[in-house]
Amino acid sequence: MKNISAKIIIASLIFFGTNSYSQKNSKQSFDVKRNEVYIDSMMTNALEKGFFPGAEIIVGSKDAVFISKNYGFHDYSKKQPVKSDDVYDLASMSKVLGATLVTMRLVGEDKIKLTDKVGDLVAVYKNTPIADLTLFELLTHTSGLKASITFYQSLLSTPDGSPLLSKDKSDNYPDLFDTMYVNKNIVYDANYLSFVPKENWVQIYKNMWLNPEFYKTVYDQIASANTNVRGKYVYSDLNLLLVKQMIEAKTGLKLDQLTKEIYTELGITKIGYNPLKWTSEENVMPTELDNFFRKDTIKGYVHDEAAAIFGGVSGNAGLFANAQSISVICQMLLNNGKYKGKQILKAKVVKEFRDSPLAKEGIYRGLGFDKRKPDEFFRENDFGHTGFTGTFFFMNPDNNRFLIILTNRVNPTRTNRLMYKDDFSAKIWKQINN
C-alpha cells in the first residue's frame, strides 16, 4: 500500500512539475510586463478618445493565460464598471464560435461532408437557384450570395408610403439610426409582429413576437440572393444562415443545443445565445440605442437584426460570452482540438478549417475562420474572427499565442468607428504576436 501511495505522489510531482515547467517556458518567451504596459496604454487612449465604453482582454498561449484585464464601464454614464463575468454580444464572432465549431464536430464524426449541398439537406431549397451550393462554399464565403438582406424592414411601413429612412433630419425624421434619420410614423405589420405574447410565435425582443409564417418570406429571399459570381469571395451573413439550416436538418437538433454540448464538454458556462436565460441582465454589456426597429437601448438581446428575426439563435450572430470562455476555445483549437486530455474536435479537422484552401486564388479565408493576407499586422497562419459590435479574437498556431478583445463600441451608436480607424485590435495583436 505504501509503495502504491509513493508512486502516486511521485507521478503527481512529475505531472505538476512538467505542467508548471511548460507554463513557465511559455511565459519566458512572452514578456508579460512589457506587453501589459503596452495594452494598458492602448486601452487608456481608447477610453479617453471614446472608442468604446468598456472592454475585456485576455492574452494567452495554448497552455497558459498571460494577461486578463477589464477596462472602463458598461456605458458612458460610468456607473457600472466592467467585470470578468460580464458577457458581450459577439456579433460575427458567432459564425466561428457557434455554427463553425458545430460543423467541425460533425465533419469529424462523418455526419456531414463539405461537399454536401444545401438543397439535398434543407427541403425548402430543393428546387431553388441555390440548391447546389456546397457547405464548403458557404464556409469560405464563395457561394455568390449577396452580403446581407434586411429582412426586418419588410415588417415596417409608413401610412403614407414615405420612406422609412432619410439622409436629412426634419420634423418627420427626427431620430438618428446609423447615418440616416428614422420616420416617426413607422407602423409594424400586425400580421407578423405582436407586442404581446402569442402561442407559437417567436420572441425576437423583450416586447416583440414574430409570426413564424414570416420565415417563408425569409427563405424565399435567401433562395434568390445569388447575385454575385460563384467561386469569388463575398463575405455574406446569408452563408452562415444556411450553414445553420444544414446542420440542424442533418442532426434534427437546434444550433443552441448543438453548441451547448460542446461548451459543456469544455466546462465553459459564460457563453451562449439569449443570455438572459443563463445570466442576469446586469452582467450583459449594452449595445446600440436602436431608434429604428426596437426603439430601445439593446441589452440582453442580440444586436444583429437578422439574428433577432431568428429568436436570437442564428448562424451569423447571436452568441454572447466573456473572454474567459472564449480563451478555453482558443486553447482547445491551439491544442489541435484537445482540452484537458479530452479530444473535443478531430486534429485533422482543426487543421483543415484553419488553413487557407483558396489562397492560390487570392482568397485568404479558412473554413468559417477569418484569415488575412500577410501584412504588418497579420501572419500567414493567423486565424480567428471579428464582430461588428467591436469584438476580436485571433490565434497563431506557430507560436501558440491568442488574443481576445471584447468591446461594445456600438454603444450608443454603430457610427462610432474610431477603433477601426486606429487599427486598435490589429495593433495589439501585432504586439503580442511577435
Side-chain angles (χ1 to χ4, degrees):
M1 193 71 182
K2 282 182 182 174
N3 278 352
I4 293 168
S5 301
K7 283 177 182 174
I8 290 169
I9 291 165
I10 290 164
S12 299
L13 288 170
I14 290 168
F15 171 77
F16 288 116
T18 308
N19 198 41
S20 63
Y21 174 73
S22 70
Q23 292 209 12
K24 272 183 200 164
N25 240 18
S26 57
K27 284 196 174 178
Q28 277 169 6
S29 60
F30 183 84
D31 189 332
V32 174
K33 190 67 187 167
R34 182 173 64 86
N35 284 289
E36 192 170 355
V37 167
Y38 178 84
I39 290 167
D40 284 348
S41 68
M42 288 286 287
M43 284 289 182
T44 300
N45 177 62
L47 291 169
E48 283 175 358
K49 291 183 176 168
F51 287 13
F52 40 73
E56 183 180 16
I57 190 163
I58 288 186
V59 179
S61 72
K62 69 175 184 176
D63 55 15
V65 167
F66 304 141
I67 298 167
S68 177
K69 298 187 82 169
N70 298 293
Y71 299 87
F73 297 84
H74 275 223
D75 58 33
Y76 290 108
S77 70
K78 298 188 175 180
K79 290 175 183 171
Q80 192 175 345
V82 171
K83 59 190 185 305
S84 296
D85 278 348
D86 291 334
V87 297
Y88 295 71
D89 183 327
L90 301 183
S92 284
M93 272 173 54
S94 308
K95 289 181 170 75
V96 289
L97 295 173
T100 300
L101 272 191
V102 171
T103 305
M104 292 167 82
R105 165 68 68 89
L106 297 175
V107 167
E109 294 173 345
D110 294 321
K111 289 179 180 173
I112 202 165
K113 292 184 174 65
L114 294 172
T115 52
D116 282 347
K117 294 178 179 179
V118 171
D120 291 342
L121 296 191
V122 187
V124 294
Y125 301 119
K126 191 166 188 178
N127 297 306
T128 68
I130 65 168
D132 64 342
L133 292 180
T134 64
L135 186 56
F136 177 88
E137 289 173 301
L138 299 175
L139 289 167
T140 54
H141 295 276
T142 56
S143 64
L145 293 173
K146 65 167 76 167
S148 62
I149 299 173
T150 51
F151 304 112
Y152 73 103
Q153 289 192 23
S154 61
L155 297 165
L156 311 174
S157 62
T158 55
D160 59 357
S162 56
L164 298 171
L165 299 163
S166 168
K167 64 181 192 319
D168 300 313
K169 186 174 184 175
S170 66
D171 288 344
N172 274 339
Y173 294 88
D175 295 321
L176 193 63
F177 174 77
D178 197 358
T179 57
M180 305 283 277
Y181 291 89
V182 181
N183 192 313
K184 71 177 183 182
N185 298 313
I186 282 177
V187 291
Y188 297 84
D189 188 336
N191 292 317
Y192 292 116
L193 273 179
S194 171
F195 292 91
V196 293
K198 287 193 176 184
E199 193 176 357
N200 297 324
W201 285 36
V202 178
Q203 187 173 14
I204 63 171
Y205 194 59
K206 61 186 171 189
N207 63 339
M208 296 173 82
W209 284 261
L210 182 74
N211 184 342
E213 290 290 315
F214 183 69
Y215 295 133
K216 289 176 184 171
T217 307
V218 171
Y219 301 147
D220 285 347
Q221 287 181 274
I222 295 173
S224 57
N226 52 338
T227 56
N228 299 296
V229 178
R230 190 171 169 183
K232 298 291 183 187
Y233 173 75
V234 177
Y235 179 78
S236 171
D237 284 345
L238 305 182
N239 289 319
L240 272 294
L241 296 182
L242 289 170
V243 170
K244 175 194 176 225
Q245 287 183 271
M246 289 179 77
I247 59 183
E248 288 186 342
K250 195 75 173 178
T251 61
L253 297 170
K254 296 296 183 186
L255 178 61
D256 51 349
Q257 296 172 278
L258 293 161
T259 52
K260 193 171 182 181
E261 285 178 15
I262 296 173
Y263 304 150
T264 301
E265 286 181 36
L266 290 168
I268 50 180
T269 56
K270 298 284 192 303
I271 183 168
Y273 302 92
N274 290 315
L276 299 185
K277 292 181 179 178
W278 47 268
T279 191
S280 65
E281 189 177 357
E282 67 174 31
N283 287 345
V284 184
M285 297 290 284
T287 54
E288 189 174 24
L289 169 57
D290 176 3
N291 286 316
F292 187 20
F293 183 38
R294 289 158 287 194
K295 306 287 187 185
D296 196 10
T297 295
I298 302 162
K299 183 179 167 79
Y301 292 85
V302 65
H303 175 263
D304 180 88
E305 294 92 350
I309 289 295
F310 289 103
V313 183
S314 186
N316 72 305
L319 278 178
F320 288 71
N322 69 348
Q324 190 277 328
S325 291
I326 300 167
S327 73
V328 169
I329 296 173
C330 290
Q331 290 183 326
M332 179 269 290
L333 292 169
L334 289 172
N335 279 292
N336 299 309
K338 188 180 279 190
Y339 185 72
K340 290 192 173 176
K342 185 186 285 186
Q343 198 72 43
I344 307 294
L345 301 173
K346 292 270 176 69
K348 65 177 183 179
V349 175
V350 173
K351 187 177 187 319
E352 182 178 21
F353 274 62
R354 78 183 185 206
D355 286 347
S356 289
L358 303 171
K360 286 179 181 171
E361 287 126 86
I363 298 170
Y364 296 91
R365 196 84 202 177
L367 295 174
F369 290 100
D370 186 5
K371 294 175 71 72
R372 307 291 172 91
K373 184 177 182 180
D375 61 13
E376 64 170 306
F377 298 118
F378 293 90
R379 298 185 183 188
E380 183 181 3
N381 292 323
D382 294 353
F383 69 108
H385 216 285
T386 59
F388 184 80
T389 46
T391 57
F392 175 103
F393 87 119
F394 261 80
M395 296 158 275
N396 181 348
D398 297 328
N399 60 18
N400 289 309
R401 301 263 169 84
F402 71 83
L403 167 69
I404 302 157
I405 301 172
L406 303 180
T407 83
N408 59 336
R409 68 103 196 161
V410 294
N411 181 276
T413 171
R414 68 182 68 190
T415 53
N416 181 358
R417 300 183 59 81
L418 292 173
M419 70 182 291
Y420 302 134
K421 290 175 183 171
D422 183 67
D423 289 318
F424 173 79
S425 300
K427 283 177 182 172
I428 297 177
W429 176 235
K430 178 185 177 182
Q431 169 69 21
I432 71 110
N433 197 22
N434 281 331

